[in-house]
Amino acid sequence: MKKIFTLGKIGENSVNEDAALLTDEVLAVSDGAGGGGLYAEKWSRYLLDKLPKTPLTSADDLDNWIDGIWQPFYDECETSAKQQGGLSLQKFYDEGSFATLAAVWKVSDYQYKWLTYGDSVVFHYNKKTDVLEYSISGLVEFNNPPYLINFLDKIKPEGVRTGSFEISNDSVLIVASDALSHYILMMYMLEHNDLYAEELNQALSAATKNSNFIRAAQSLPKIDFYTDVINKLFLSDYNLTRHLARLYKEGLIAFDDYSVVIQK
């Protein structure tokens, strides 16, 4: 079973700056960052449209791939910025476009390789062992400004994470943008509070908006991670939208664009 879902900010008539991709070879999400630059929503979509079918496995791979694809995007957006006027054009020249990347590639029936740059996250959950693997260092990392791909800048090697997952018939693969990723990881850690007590306390003591989500989640009745978190991601688009709106209303997830690609 597979699902791809991407949703702009609920209740706002704003542009969805996320992009998602699901093929036989790749699951990927790119979160366009509109806080700077221009055309974040176009850049995130462009990155996924150009994503290679074989894994990127290093910072050099990522850098070389960006070097090989950025020019047509730049040319098209430069033309568009010129039509919008001088201020837009100067902003595009000065700041470029920003987006994260999280992708997992199938290399065999039971092995997938992944790469991330930024705070979009790749997960592997085994429902038999109840073990969750994830590409981010932990909850506290969501408090930091993310690494972002920009055609104006070289990739920072310290921002690139790579790895592989050995999967089985009990595996679920998930790629999600940051707000949804924080929710997934938070709920898993709370269900396994004995293992993650120190990390949860560290995230709470950071006193950020993410700390508030953890505090709200701590007051929930006992949850079953697979049933209450994973399976809900397979809801119909309409019902998943309602589910995410409810999570936001209950103070469990940030107000953001939401994207997820999932298969089991």
Side-chain angles (χ1 to χ4, degrees):
M1 186 185 294
K2 297 183 178 184
K3 182 174 178 65
I4 180 170
F5 176 86
T6 184
L7 177 71
K9 294 177 182 67
I10 295 170
E12 285 204 357
N13 190 23
S14 59
V15 174
N16 180 3
E17 293 172 335
D18 283 3
L21 176 71
L22 174 61
T23 70
D24 289 340
E25 298 94 4
V26 190
L27 297 80
V29 163
S30 178
D31 181 348
L38 289 177
Y39 308 119
E41 77 287 355
K42 288 184 168 67
W43 183 227
S44 61
R45 183 72 260 164
Y46 185 83
L47 289 174
L48 295 194
D49 287 345
K50 297 296 183 182
L51 201 63
K53 292 183 178 180
T54 54
L56 300 168
T57 60
S58 67
D60 284 344
D61 275 0
L62 184 58
D63 224 8
N64 291 335
W65 170 62
I66 299 296
D67 279 348
I69 66 164
W70 69 271
Q71 191 70 54
F73 175 84
Y74 180 90
D75 293 343
E76 182 181 327
C77 291
E78 182 184 37
T79 301
S80 179
K82 284 177 179 175
Q83 291 168 354
Q84 288 184 46
L87 286 176
S88 291
L89 184 62
Q90 196 58 50
K91 187 176 178 68
F92 182 65
Y93 285 153
D94 290 346
E95 299 178 26
S97 306
F98 297 95
T100 69
L101 178 66
V104 57
W105 289 264
K106 182 178 183 178
V107 293
S108 73
D109 284 347
Y110 294 103
Q111 188 184 37
Y112 283 74
K113 291 191 174 182
W114 58 264
L115 176 142
T116 65
Y117 193 77
D119 55 7
S120 299
V121 181
V122 175
F123 298 92
H124 170 225
Y125 179 70
N126 185 304
K127 58 181 183 280
K128 186 175 183 180
T129 63
D130 190 30
V131 171
L132 181 71
E133 298 177 272
Y134 42 91
S135 58
I136 203 161
S137 63
L139 284 176
V140 175
E141 188 176 333
F142 288 103
N143 299 334
N144 303 328
Y147 290 95
L148 297 167
I149 297 171
N150 190 331
F151 51 79
L152 293 179
D153 304 318
K154 296 285 285 182
I155 291 296
K156 295 176 180 172
E158 63 271 23
V160 177
R161 290 208 172 95
T162 60
S164 62
F165 297 137
E166 300 295 327
I167 72 159
S168 71
N169 294 332
D170 298 300
S171 289
V172 185
L173 289 172
I174 307 165
V175 188
S177 50
D178 58 329
L180 193 46
S181 292
H182 183 273
Y183 169 75
I184 292 167
L185 186 55
M186 171 184 77
M187 297 302 277
Y188 181 79
M189 288 186 171
L190 285 170
E191 190 189 35
H192 301 83
N193 185 63
D194 51 333
L195 294 175
Y196 296 102
E198 185 177 341
E199 181 166 348
L200 286 164
N201 286 333
Q202 188 182 0
L204 280 166
S205 64
T208 65
K209 67 174 185 180
N210 290 326
S211 309
N212 296 332
F213 305 139
I214 299 168
R215 200 166 285 111
Q218 284 179 322
S219 66
L220 293 171
K222 183 169 173 58
I223 65 139
D224 178 275
F225 180 72
Y226 184 71
T227 302
D228 300 328
V229 179
I230 299 289
N231 270 352
K232 291 276 172 59
L233 299 174
F234 285 101
L235 290 169
S236 69
D237 288 0
Y238 174 76
N239 285 325
L240 182 51
T241 299
R242 292 184 65 192
H243 174 59
L244 291 167
R246 188 162 57 248
L247 294 180
Y248 171 67
K249 188 176 179 182
E250 292 172 357
L252 298 170
I253 195 169
F255 185 64
D256 204 350
D257 302 332
Y258 306 121
S259 293
V260 63
V261 186
I262 184 168
Q263 75 173 40
K264 63 178 179 179

